[in-house]
Amino acid sequence: MATALAVAPAPAAAAAPGCEVEPGKPDMGGEPWAQQMLNMKEAHRLSTGRGVVVAVVDSGVDFKNPQLKGQGAGAVDLTGTGVADCAAHGTGVAGVIAAREMAKVPFVGVAPGARILSVKVAANERDNSDLLLAQGILRAVRQKARVINVSAQTAVDSKALRQAVEYAQKKDVVVVAAAGNVDPKNTGTAVPAYPAQYPGVLSVGAVDSTGKVTVFSDVATRVSVVAPGIGITSTWPGSGWSFGYEGTSFAAPFVAGTAALVRAAYPKMPAAEVVRRIEATADGNRGPGSGSGLVNPLQAVSAQVAVEQAGLEPRAVPIPRLPEEDDRPGKIALGVMGGALGAASVALAAGLTVPHGRRRRWAAGQPPR
């Protein structure tokens, strides 16, 4: 690839008023390894995710980054701290999903035609709760997201969170969640992460550039598919990029972007079938924590998915190119939420943690410079 267009880094204050966020890297070399591994250029010939709204339930998204300008479908703050991404996490997640193409910049999102709804549920690693995450999922549904990305984890199977996920699924929304991170030096017993563990959620583990499941990817959690999750390039608050995003937090958006590609290509396909399709077209189990294998955006969009009668095992068969997605605008029916989740019966319990780096939480969104 040609040398990347230099994007001048903005001061931290300009990127997010009131936040102490370092400037992003202003230059980029060749195409990032994750984009090459997933063959996204070929997938974009068939679908770009055009018209699909993907909610990023996270730390906020900075739409001032040049590759996220015009990609926003709204911003909601449930923390009372404003919509700015002070943790430099949600902006990276959003970039993996929908960073738009720029001349001479070899990085692009999985679904550059999709739009991002930012739902801020965490200002920092100490200011989170299961209830707030549940409220974020509900808000995303009510604001017409067709895919929800949750790059967060909690060890608590809370009633509020479970009901929020079930509500989203009932309203035909694909829920994608990070399978969680563990400290490889921790001698304690790994536990399942929520909401990734819930039935019907696309739970995502992380692999390295060789396709091997990373040491930090939580194998105690049920995993649907895996995606790149170490040394990830993506957008940074203000301008520029980070080249060191790490964790299942940054594996999940590769799958959320793939879900957007499928929803744009097959607008009438139910959410549960989108989930099954992504699992069926993955590259195959490669051991503990790999689920159905590496997500395959091209196959997810182009394959004819069938179910074999013996054992009901899924299989994928390539089919010809799809019609242009512009001819098939997607619509989903959304209802008004009937009642509250019964917050009085739900304890906040353990704080929500964001699985994006070994031995680190929100701070792992700030890679070595």
Side-chain angles (χ1 to χ4, degrees):
M1 298 292 295
T3 303
L5 175 69
V7 179
C19 301
E20 295 182 3
V21 180
E22 297 178 7
K25 291 287 186 179
D27 299 295
M28 188 183 299
E31 184 179 16
W33 72 266
Q35 273 67 26
Q36 294 181 52
M37 173 181 274
L38 298 183
N39 197 18
M40 294 193 313
K41 289 181 180 179
E42 289 301 311
H44 292 165
R45 294 177 183 272
L46 306 179
S47 177
T48 63
R50 184 185 177 106
V52 176
V53 174
V54 181
V56 173
V57 179
D58 213 288
S59 65
V61 175
D62 189 349
F63 292 108
K64 295 177 183 176
N65 183 288
Q67 284 196 285
L68 293 176
K69 279 187 176 180
Q71 301 297 77
V76 176
D77 170 41
L78 299 180
T79 69
T81 62
V83 297
D85 180 13
C86 299
H89 189 271
T91 301
V93 169
V96 170
I97 297 170
R100 67 185 181 90
E101 294 186 40
M102 287 182 60
K104 299 183 180 180
V105 175
F107 167 73
V108 65
V110 181
R115 300 183 68 205
I116 298 294
L117 169 66
S118 172
V119 182
K120 184 175 179 179
V121 296
N124 55 60
E125 64 178 299
R126 299 175 301 277
D127 189 25
N128 311 297
S129 75
D130 301 327
L131 182 57
L132 201 60
L133 177 56
Q135 291 173 345
I137 293 172
L138 291 175
R139 180 63 70 88
V141 176
R142 295 167 69 182
Q143 295 201 202
K144 302 184 178 181
R146 301 194 72 205
V147 178
I148 297 175
N149 185 93
V150 184
S151 287
Q153 73 182 68
T154 175
V156 179
D157 176 9
S158 85
K159 182 179 179 181
L161 189 54
R162 178 182 288 272
Q163 288 182 339
V165 170
E166 290 174 348
Y167 177 78
Q169 293 169 337
K170 181 179 179 182
K171 294 300 181 181
D172 195 40
V173 179
V174 176
V175 180
V176 181
N181 293 348
V182 295
D183 186 338
K185 294 183 179 180
N186 187 351
T187 57
T189 302
V191 296
Y194 298 91
Q197 184 72 359
Y198 293 132
V201 173
L202 269 170
S203 173
V204 187
V207 295
D208 61 22
S209 60
T210 70
K212 183 180 179 180
V213 175
T214 64
V215 294
F216 57 76
S217 193
D218 189 351
V219 297
T221 304
R222 175 193 63 81
V223 172
S224 303
V225 293
V226 291
I230 189 168
I232 300 302
T233 295
S234 192
T235 47
W236 186 262
S239 64
W241 306 273
S242 167
F243 307 136
Y245 283 120
E246 178 179 303
T248 57
S249 275
F250 296 98
F254 284 104
V255 179
T258 300
L261 297 181
V262 174
R263 301 224 81 169
Y266 305 95
K268 294 182 180 180
M269 182 177 289
E273 179 63 18
V274 173
V275 171
R276 191 183 77 88
R277 183 179 187 84
I278 290 173
E279 293 172 338
T281 56
D283 289 345
N285 182 282
R286 298 186 180 182
S290 66
S292 295
L294 183 69
V295 67
N296 189 323
L298 178 59
Q299 282 291 300
V301 174
S302 66
Q304 177 182 347
V305 176
V307 177
E308 295 178 354
Q309 296 302 314
L312 298 181
E313 290 297 324
R315 60 186 175 88
V317 182
I319 59 175
R321 178 171 176 167
L322 299 168
E324 289 297 324
E325 57 186 317
D326 289 1
D327 296 334
R328 298 176 296 167
K331 297 181 180 179
I332 60 173
L334 293 174
V336 178
M337 184 174 63
L341 282 174
S345 65
V346 180
L348 293 182
L352 175 69
T353 62
V354 177
H356 59 296
R358 290 174 284 180
R359 304 180 297 282
R360 296 170 293 182
R361 302 205 284 187
W362 287 105
Q366 302 175 10
R369 299 286 166 186

